[in-house]
Amino acid sequence: MNLDFATAFARCPLVAILRGVRPDEVEPIGDALVDAGFSLVEVPMNSPDPLDSIGRLARRLEGRALVGAGTVLTPDQVDAVQQAGGQLIISPNSDQSVIGRSAQAGLISMPGYFTPTEAFAAVQAGARALKLFPAEAATPAVLKAQRAVLPKDLPILVVGGINPGNMAPWIAAGADGFGLGSALYKPGASAADVSEAAQAFVRGWRAVLA
C-alpha cells in the first residue's frame, strides 16, 4: 500500500529525526516510532551509513511511514537518497538546487527557512513544506507574523528545542507540525527508549488539539 505525504502528514505531523542512528539498530527503532503513531521518519545524512539506514527503513516501513534524509545539502545527495528508497528530502537551509532536484524527482522537499524571503524562494523552487529552523532563535510571535503572509495551505513545521510540553504556543501561532530531534532520539537510545519518548510526543500533540 502506497502512503502519500498528505495522508502521512495528516495522520501525525511529527517528523522523527534519528541523527546518529546506525543501520544495525534502525529497524526496531522505526517499528517503535510507527507503533507510537509516527508516519514521517528522517535519517540525517551526517549519521553513520545514512543511506543504508534509509534503505532499511524504507523497506520495513513501506505503506506505514514515509522515510527520507535530513541535512541534505547537494543535488547529488538527493539522487542518492532516492536510489536508497527515501522519499523525504529535508535540509537545514533553502538551497534552490536541492529543492528543485527533489521536486523534479517527485520527492517531498522540506527545506529549512528563517525569513519570509527564504520561505517564498523555497516555495517557488518547489518545496512541499517548510521547517522553521532553528526555532530556539525564533518565537511563536515571529511565526504568527510570517503566517500572515505565507500560503495558507503550506505546511510549516517548527524544529529545534521542541518537547512534549512546549508545542501549544507554536500551534496557536500557526505551526502545522514539528521536527523532533534529541528529545526523541539520542545516539545509543534503545527502541524501548524511543518508544517511550515517541508516545509522550504523540500524547502531547493530541492534548494540544483536544
Side-chain angles (χ1 to χ4, degrees):
M1 180 182 68
N2 291 328
L3 179 64
D4 62 71
F5 175 69
T7 301
F9 195 84
R11 183 183 299 171
C12 182
L14 305 177
V15 178
I17 303 171
L18 304 180
R19 191 179 307 279
V21 74
R22 302 190 315 269
D24 65 335
E25 63 186 353
V26 76
E27 290 169 288
I29 288 172
D31 287 337
L33 288 167
V34 170
D35 289 344
F38 279 67
S39 53
L40 300 164
V41 184
E42 157 191 346
V43 178
M45 290 296 285
N46 53 2
S47 302
D49 299 315
L51 297 174
D52 188 2
S53 290
I54 291 166
R56 293 181 186 222
L57 281 178
R59 291 188 294 272
R60 189 173 186 94
L61 304 182
E62 183 176 5
R64 298 190 291 157
L66 294 181
V67 176
T71 319
V72 179
L73 303 177
T74 68
D76 286 346
Q77 288 182 331
V78 173
D79 296 341
V81 172
Q82 184 180 36
Q83 290 169 8
Q87 295 170 279
L88 306 175
I89 302 295
I90 304 174
S91 306
N93 59 343
S94 295
D95 187 303
Q96 294 192 34
S97 67
V98 170
I99 299 168
R101 181 69 64 84
S102 303
Q104 290 168 7
L107 305 179
I108 306 301
S109 173
M110 290 194 285
Y113 85 99
F114 200 73
T115 68
T117 298
E118 294 173 338
F120 280 109
V123 171
Q124 187 173 15
R128 291 281 300 277
L130 299 179
K131 69 173 192 178
L132 177 61
F133 175 80
E136 296 98 329
T139 66
V142 169
L143 176 61
K144 184 177 181 180
Q146 294 175 347
R147 261 301 189 198
V149 296
L150 291 174
K152 302 300 183 186
D153 59 349
L154 175 69
I156 296 183
L157 298 90
V158 175
V159 182
I162 300 302
N163 62 61
N166 69 359
M167 293 188 282
W170 291 105
I171 294 298
D176 298 294
F178 298 93
L180 311 172
S182 59
L184 176 66
Y185 172 81
K186 293 185 179 71
S190 67
D193 295 332
V194 173
S195 176
E196 182 177 356
Q199 291 178 55
F201 270 111
V202 172
R203 285 196 302 267
W205 168 256
R206 290 175 177 165
V208 172
L209 298 184

